[in-house]
């Protein structure tokens, strides 16, 4: 860890990102909770493809997402990437998704990514060791979704998803998000990719609210 890391541990002792217990970045109990197999979920706004979630937006899953997204816990993102990699391996083994698909992080506003030390979802995707194509982004006018109703989320996302660069011709892409609530963001993402020639067999989220 080094001298600076040791000093940081003395001043700010490490706590589990999942439950707050002192001692480790992720305690054994939270690692077990996060490693549960992904399940198919059915958001009210259909993204046109199957959606899988690694767990509910509660407990360790919720805490870890808040830590890496809202509390600038950069270290936990690589651990979440390992959890995501395991979930993708599981879905491939079951035949739910094709092998070797490109991961496309769900879009975020560039200003939000900068404020968080980089897009946490994109960093989790890169930590899987798989091919990642961060080609989607949100227009800056897009409001924060967390306080919006389902109808407002759909209206907010209408035309908000933008494409930095077209995916490779006939690329097979899995859209990855942190939390799926209404499905509006996933729907906009899938539609944008399909419109530009990509194949999108599924989406996967860290949590389902």
């Amino acid at each position: 860890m080094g001298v600076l890391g040791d000093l940081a541990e003395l001043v700010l002792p490490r706590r589990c990102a999942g439950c707050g217990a002192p001692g480790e970045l992720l305690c054994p109990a939270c690692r077990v909770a996060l490693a549960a197999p992904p399940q198919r979920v059915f958001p009210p706004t259909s993204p046109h493809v199957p959606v899988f979630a690694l767990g509910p937006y509660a407990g360790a899953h919720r805490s870890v997402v808040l830590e890496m997204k809202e509390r600038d816990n950069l270290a936990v993102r690589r651990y979440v990437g390992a959890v995501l990699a395991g979930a993708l391996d599981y879905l491939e083994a079951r035949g739910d998704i094709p092998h070797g698909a490109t991961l496309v992080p769900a879009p975020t506003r560039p200003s939000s990514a900068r404020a968080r030390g980089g897009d946490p979802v994109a960093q989790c995707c890169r930590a899987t060791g798989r091919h990642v194509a961060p080609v989607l982004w949100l227009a800056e006018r897009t409001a924060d979704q967390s306080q919006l109703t389902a109808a407002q989320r759909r209206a907010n996302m209408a035309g908000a998803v933008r494409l930095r660069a077209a995916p490779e011709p006939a690329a097979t892409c899995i859209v990855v998000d942190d939390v799926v609530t209404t499905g509006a963001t996933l729907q906009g993402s899938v539609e944008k990719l399909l419109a530009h020639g990509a194949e999108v067999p599924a989406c996967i989220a860290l949590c389902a609210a």
Side-chain angles (χ1 to χ4, degrees):
M1 183 181 293
V3 175
L4 291 179
D6 291 339
L7 289 174
E9 286 290 307
L10 289 173
V11 177
L12 297 171
R14 176 167 288 175
R15 290 183 173 274
C16 173
C19 66
E24 299 182 69
L25 186 60
L26 279 174
C27 72
C30 286
R31 291 184 187 188
V32 170
L34 293 172
Q39 301 294 323
R40 187 168 179 184
V41 295
F42 299 87
T45 300
S46 173
H48 315 296
V49 299
V51 180
F52 299 91
L54 278 60
Y57 188 57
H61 289 84
R62 179 180 183 274
S63 296
V64 164
V65 167
L66 291 176
E67 281 286 323
M68 73 175 195
K69 185 176 179 180
E70 306 296 344
R71 298 169 188 154
D72 299 325
N73 189 332
L74 305 183
V76 79
R77 296 178 184 182
R78 69 178 182 272
Y79 285 87
V80 176
V83 172
L84 176 61
L88 293 165
D89 288 343
Y90 176 86
L91 293 172
E92 287 176 344
R94 281 173 48 93
D96 292 318
I97 62 173
H99 285 266
T102 294
L103 304 184
V104 176
T108 188
R109 291 173 296 173
S111 60
S112 296
R114 289 192 298 270
R116 292 167 175 156
D119 178 10
V121 174
Q123 291 176 357
C124 290
C125 288
R126 293 189 185 97
T128 66
R130 293 168 177 253
H131 183 248
V132 182
V135 297
L136 301 176
W137 60 284
L138 287 181
E140 285 292 345
R141 65 165 178 80
T142 312
D144 188 319
Q145 298 267 82
S146 61
Q147 303 301 318
L148 302 181
T149 66
Q152 289 171 332
R153 286 173 183 245
R154 288 191 292 270
N156 187 45
M157 292 306 301
V161 179
R162 310 292 173 81
L163 196 70
R164 286 191 180 90
E168 297 175 6
T172 301
C173 302
I174 304 292
V175 179
V176 182
D177 206 352
D178 51 4
V179 183
V180 56
T181 304
T182 64
T185 301
L186 292 180
Q187 185 187 76
S189 301
V190 170
E191 290 176 350
K192 182 64 70 173
L193 292 170
L194 292 175
H196 286 80
E199 297 180 16
V200 186
C203 300
I204 186 167
L206 303 180
C207 305

